[in-house]
Amino acid sequence: MKDEYDVIVIGAGPAGSTAAKFAAEKADVLVVDKHREIGSPKRCGEGLGLKAFEKFEIPLDKRFVNKEMCGAVVYAPNGSKVEIEYDGIYGYIIERKIFDKFLATEASRQGAKVLADTEASLLKENGRIIGVRITHQRKEKEIKAKIIVAADGVDSQIARQAGIDTTINLADIGSCFEYEMSGIEIENPEMIHMFMGNKLAPKGYVWIFPKDDDRANIGIGISGTEKRTAKYYLDRFIKSRPGLEKGSIIEVNVGCVPVGDFLRELVRDNLMVVGDAARQVNPIHGGGICEAMLAGKLAGIKAGKAINSGNLEMLKEYETEWFSTEGKKLEKILKVRHFAEKLGDEDMNYLAKVWNGDDLVRISGGEYSIAFKKIIKHPRLLGLLKNFV
Ligand SMILES: Cc1cc2nc3c(=O)[nH]c(=O)nc-3n(C[C@H](O)[C@H](O)[C@H](O)COP(=O)(O)OP(=O)(O)OC[C@H]3O[C@@H](n4cnc5c(N)ncnc54)[C@H](O)[C@@H]3O)c2cc1C
């Protein structure tokens, strides 16, 4: 390991490995991750839409592609369903532990040096960030860098160390709990299943993402302000379904998803923040892998160009470009989340009657006008919509 790199990326999740890969096209890059095994623990439902595979030319490698997703079934509190069906495949349930290693390997193939079992904090001199202090297999070392990328996930400390205000309200956090279960009965395992309801999963939902015909990630996300834990609600859901209750638990995952506002300051001096650390997550369903990769790519390209030109001022372009592209789309989706959080169970039952699968696809992509036109005759929902615009 050298004493100096152009770019150091902290965190080898989807955001960090993607940033490292694109930065490495033009710069000398080190990416570190505190975990001994990149990708583990997984903290993920492992659903990844086709868009990510296409945008990043991800191969359909059997080692990390478990199962095709052909659509989704959304269940209202009264059990009525809205089905989202696609002509072809809509995405895949992947194996995150292998997928994240694949992304890190891609970064290393592009020339980045990847180092697991390495925890980093910022190294400063006269208030300026000059690199990182790492602990690698219990040995400490200081490494200098011109640019730092904070890709250290939802519990990010690095942005705060740089002086960025990272305070977040509990209401803006989705508290999640998940089992990977085997030996279960899944009705229609070609689809992913999402269950709504304020008693079932307050301000969130329960998901069943099948990895095999009899094996699935079964998880829940609820508001961070709830008194009862996510585990309480998930256990209750599983108990109410004999086809699930008889199954075995082969993995347990706990985690958080930042589903509120995005970090507003994505760049400070020579530091960029990407992925969950910057809260770049789809606020309506909490999916963040593709968002992390998109932001990582943009940040990585800007870092490479800044090194090439010697102009670190260019890093600010990452922030402006992200907010004018992906950020703009996610801001619209965030408005939908705020609307959805106010829905009662009766409202959801009504929406399941008037909305179809296409409406739900549009809404989760931030295009809500057609779907919302269908509910303006409903007095209570109209009231909620008035607050929305
Ligand atoms: C229960 C749950 C289910 C989810 N399901 C889905 C899903 O089905 N589909 C989807 O798209 N998204 C899902 N998400 C969200 C998704 O997992 C994240 O959005 C995604 O992992 C973000 O990638 P990232 O690279 O920003 O962060 P992470 O994947 O969290 O990676 C951050 C990395 O930084 C490392 N790190 C942290 N601090 C340091 C440090 N100081 N030094 C060195 N390394 C450090 C960590 O070890 C970690 O590997 C889910 C999240 C949860 C909690």
Side-chain angles (χ1 to χ4, degrees):
M1 193 193 328
K2 295 187 296 186
D3 295 329
E4 192 164 353
Y5 287 84
D6 292 329
V7 181
I8 296 181
V9 181
I10 303 175
S17 289
T18 309
K21 178 182 167 185
F22 283 93
E25 286 177 7
K26 295 217 162 96
D28 196 14
V29 180
L30 171 69
V31 50
V32 296
D33 199 288
K34 67 182 177 186
H35 287 131
R36 285 189 163 176
E37 184 179 7
I38 287 172
S40 183
K42 75 179 180 203
R43 299 205 292 192
C44 191
E46 304 184 291
L48 186 58
L50 199 57
K51 186 178 92 177
F53 283 83
E54 290 169 353
K55 285 202 170 182
F56 291 93
E57 295 177 10
I58 301 166
L60 292 178
D61 189 323
K62 273 195 240 147
R63 286 171 294 183
F64 57 76
V65 174
N66 274 300
K67 197 158 176 43
E68 295 161 351
M69 292 191 273
C70 296
V73 189
V74 181
Y75 300 78
N78 64 2
S80 59
K81 302 176 194 175
V82 181
E83 294 204 5
I84 303 171
E85 281 183 271
Y86 290 83
D87 286 341
I89 292 162
Y90 146 80
Y92 298 92
I93 305 299
I94 57 171
E95 193 66 33
R96 271 295 294 269
K97 290 170 196 159
I98 304 176
F99 180 70
D100 282 20
K101 274 192 195 141
F102 160 78
L103 294 180
T105 305
E106 288 281 284
S108 73
R109 286 190 180 131
Q110 190 59 55
K113 167 101 173 157
V114 183
L115 210 54
D117 199 4
T118 306
E119 185 151 8
S121 59
L122 290 183
L123 180 66
K124 293 187 187 176
E125 195 177 78
N126 301 325
R128 267 185 54 244
I129 301 164
I130 57 161
V132 296
R133 183 172 288 112
I134 59 162
T135 308
H136 173 62
Q137 293 173 341
R138 281 188 247 144
K139 286 201 190 99
E140 288 199 3
K141 184 175 163 76
E142 291 182 354
I143 309 177
K144 293 204 169 147
K146 297 186 186 83
I147 297 171
I148 305 290
V149 180
D152 51 334
V154 65
D155 326 305
S156 176
Q157 300 292 322
I158 300 298
R160 191 181 317 161
Q161 287 171 19
I164 295 174
D165 181 6
T166 59
T167 39
I168 184 167
N169 292 324
L170 272 181
D172 290 333
I173 292 174
S175 168
C176 303
F177 194 86
E178 181 183 75
Y179 296 118
E180 184 171 333
M181 296 188 73
S182 60
I184 54 174
E185 279 168 30
I186 311 170
E187 191 188 325
N188 204 347
E190 310 312 315
M191 315 278 266
I192 59 170
H193 301 264
M194 297 154 104
F195 300 81
M196 309 290 165
N198 286 313
K199 291 186 200 82
L200 190 85
K203 294 185 183 166
Y205 66 98
V206 169
W207 64 83
I208 299 179
F209 286 4
K211 295 180 84 169
D212 272 319
D213 288 354
D214 66 347
R215 181 170 66 109
N217 288 322
I218 304 176
I220 190 170
I222 59 166
S223 167
T225 55
E226 274 305 305
K227 284 201 184 78
R228 288 204 160 106
T229 63
K231 177 181 168 7
Y232 165 84
Y233 285 100
L234 184 64
D235 285 344
R236 204 173 62 163
F237 173 82
I238 290 170
K239 233 181 189 168
S240 70
R241 284 171 165 75
L244 300 182
E245 207 204 2
K246 69 173 191 169
S248 297
I249 293 169
I250 58 174
E251 187 168 334
V252 181
N253 291 291
V254 186
C256 288
V257 180
V259 284
D261 206 357
F262 319 101
L263 198 67
R264 292 285 147 182
E265 190 177 358
L266 300 181
V267 179
R268 179 172 283 201
D269 302 326
N270 56 343
L271 176 125
M272 292 188 278
V273 193
V274 293
D276 270 17
R279 302 168 199 160
Q280 292 160 323
V281 168
N282 182 316
I284 202 79
H285 53 59
I289 303 171
C290 186
E291 295 302 339
M293 292 177 73
L294 288 169
K297 178 178 175 181
L298 186 59
I301 290 172
K302 295 296 175 194
K305 281 190 180 162
I307 292 294
N308 234 234
S309 64
N311 175 14
L312 295 194
E313 288 293 314
M314 285 187 67
L315 298 183
K316 209 70 188 158
E317 290 174 13
Y318 156 61
E319 184 178 293
T320 43
E321 279 182 35
W322 188 81
F323 274 108
S324 62
T325 54
E326 208 53 24
K328 199 168 171 182
K329 189 188 88 187
L330 294 183
E331 273 173 348
K332 284 187 181 172
I333 301 173
L334 182 60
K335 282 177 116 188
V336 180
R337 181 182 179 88
H338 290 148
F339 167 78
E341 282 180 347
K342 296 196 175 73
L343 297 175
D345 282 5
E346 286 310 315
D347 301 326
M348 290 186 225
N349 293 337
Y350 175 79
L351 291 175
K353 261 200 267 177
V354 294
W355 280 350
N356 58 32
D358 288 344
D359 294 320
L360 295 188
V361 171
R362 282 196 203 98
I363 290 166
S364 65
E367 296 167 34
Y368 36 73
S369 53
I370 296 174
F372 279 6
K373 266 187 197 142
K374 292 187 180 175
I375 57 175
I376 50 177
K377 288 199 178 123
H378 188 290
R380 185 181 136 76
L381 293 175
L382 179 63
L384 292 182
L385 277 182
K386 278 188 182 145
N387 293 333
F388 179 85
V389 278

